[in-house]
Amino acid sequence: MALGPATAPGAHAAEETGPETTGFVPALVHSIDHPEASPPGANDWSCRPNPRHPHPVVLVHGTYANRYDTFAMLSPALKRDGYCVFALNHGDTDDNLLSQAEFLKGNGDIRRSAQELAAFVDRVLAATGTSRVDIVGHSLGGLMPRQYLKFEGGAGKVGTLVTLGAPHHGTTLSGIAVIASSLGLLDSTHPLLGDGPAQQTRGSQFLAELNAEGDTVAGVSYVVIATSLDAVTTPHHSTFLTPGPGATVRNITLQHGCPIDLSDHLSMIYSPRAIGYVRQGLDPQTGPPSCQPHLPVM
């Protein structure tokens, strides 16, 4: 597994930072040649949180993504708000066909990625002198932190978890996963796709274990953002969480009150409305998000 400088424990070398961009496609193109780039505003290890925003924010990308192409717009926005922002690459395996492309990360076993997140969070806490972080994750990057919270020592180290398009209760992949499961193909996808994708499908053993004792962990605030036009996490409401004892949950659909936001699974992380909900989730004193036209990835 290749570890970038932000992932390797104890690494202090200067990290490459990519340019700020307002769209997923140009960010993806940049990451092809710069697979270890940090999003702008992230991974300043000298940053110290301020009283207004006492928790560092850790950004977690999804399957076949990376920290730069996912957060090239959100990371600098949070930095301008005054947050200490950190982002890791995870799940960078070499055991399947797609993983041979260095910019396609997040395809390994979710349990192992959660262990990588645990080490990264501990590094952030040590560097900033804080006791808790907030986490923002897209797709798998929203689901995997729940594994960290429940099974990898994350309880007590996270204040707020904000997720965007996360398959918390499994995805049918617009029916593709259902067909593959009925044909018995999901167990044979590892050589091509890696372990992570199959673990996210509806009915997987991984999800059964993760959700067996409820969706939430006491002491954490959850903000769950969905788009009704999601064709990857399907049905889109399968992302919603039910609060358990000692936890709060806010489930949001981008199109409620804003039908002109046409964000899909990929473009939602560049939606001004979604970013507004992230900012509000991290700081409830932030005003309501704007409603602006936003297109799917074409």
Side-chain angles (χ1 to χ4, degrees):
M1 178 174 62
L3 292 177
T7 308
H12 296 287
E15 297 173 3
E16 177 186 2
T17 298
E20 182 172 354
T21 184
T22 57
F24 174 77
V25 172
L28 172 63
V29 170
H30 180 84
S31 74
I32 293 173
D33 290 328
H34 305 272
E36 301 299 337
S38 292
N43 297 334
D44 173 4
W45 295 94
S46 66
C47 186
R48 298 295 178 267
N50 57 58
R52 172 72 185 272
H53 302 307
H55 295 167
V57 178
V58 174
L59 305 178
V60 188
H61 66 78
T63 308
Y64 307 132
N66 58 71
R67 60 187 173 185
Y68 175 76
D69 68 15
T70 305
F71 298 115
M73 183 174 172
L74 176 60
S75 176
L78 295 179
K79 184 68 171 180
R80 286 191 289 269
D81 283 347
Y83 290 96
C84 291
V85 182
F86 299 90
L88 79 161
N89 283 328
H90 65 86
D92 187 8
T93 66
D94 294 318
D95 62 357
N96 62 84
L97 183 62
L98 287 182
S99 68
Q100 304 309 306
E102 284 297 315
F103 68 98
L104 296 178
K105 305 181 188 294
N107 52 73
D109 188 306
I110 298 174
R111 299 175 185 89
R112 185 168 182 180
S113 289
Q115 293 169 359
E116 294 180 56
L117 176 61
F120 190 82
V121 168
D122 284 348
R123 183 186 169 200
V124 170
L125 294 177
T128 58
T130 53
S131 60
R132 289 195 178 201
V133 301
D134 293 331
I135 295 177
V136 179
H138 173 246
S139 194
L140 165 66
L143 172 67
M144 181 265 280
R146 293 182 51 226
Q147 174 75 13
Y148 163 60
L149 285 168
K150 284 195 171 185
F151 301 116
E152 298 298 339
K157 296 180 181 180
V158 177
T160 298
L161 173 61
V162 182
T163 74
L164 299 100
H168 291 304
H169 295 284
T171 177
T172 68
L173 277 174
S174 296
I176 296 174
V178 175
I179 296 172
S181 178
S182 66
L183 296 175
L185 299 177
L186 286 181
D187 292 337
S188 59
T189 59
H190 172 85
L192 174 63
L193 304 177
D195 290 324
Q199 290 173 323
Q200 296 172 70
T201 58
R202 177 169 290 186
S204 74
Q205 182 61 35
F206 171 82
L207 287 172
E209 294 173 359
L210 179 63
N211 295 324
E213 297 181 2
D215 293 349
T216 60
V217 169
V220 179
S221 297
Y222 297 80
V223 179
V224 182
I225 303 170
T227 171
S228 62
L229 302 178
D230 201 324
V232 175
T233 296
T234 57
H236 77 274
H237 54 75
S238 66
T239 192
F240 293 151
L241 296 175
T242 300
T248 63
V249 172
R250 183 184 182 195
N251 293 315
I252 299 164
T253 301
L254 288 179
Q255 287 76 24
H256 286 178
C258 189
I260 59 175
D261 189 324
L262 303 179
S263 300
D264 62 3
H265 187 76
L266 290 176
S267 72
M268 71 182 302
I269 49 181
Y270 287 87
S271 159
R273 185 169 180 82
I275 290 176
Y277 276 124
V278 171
R279 295 175 65 236
Q280 189 180 61
L282 296 172
D283 181 1
Q285 296 183 35
T286 303
S290 62
C291 176
Q292 301 179 35
H294 192 68
L295 295 175
V297 173
M298 308 301 283

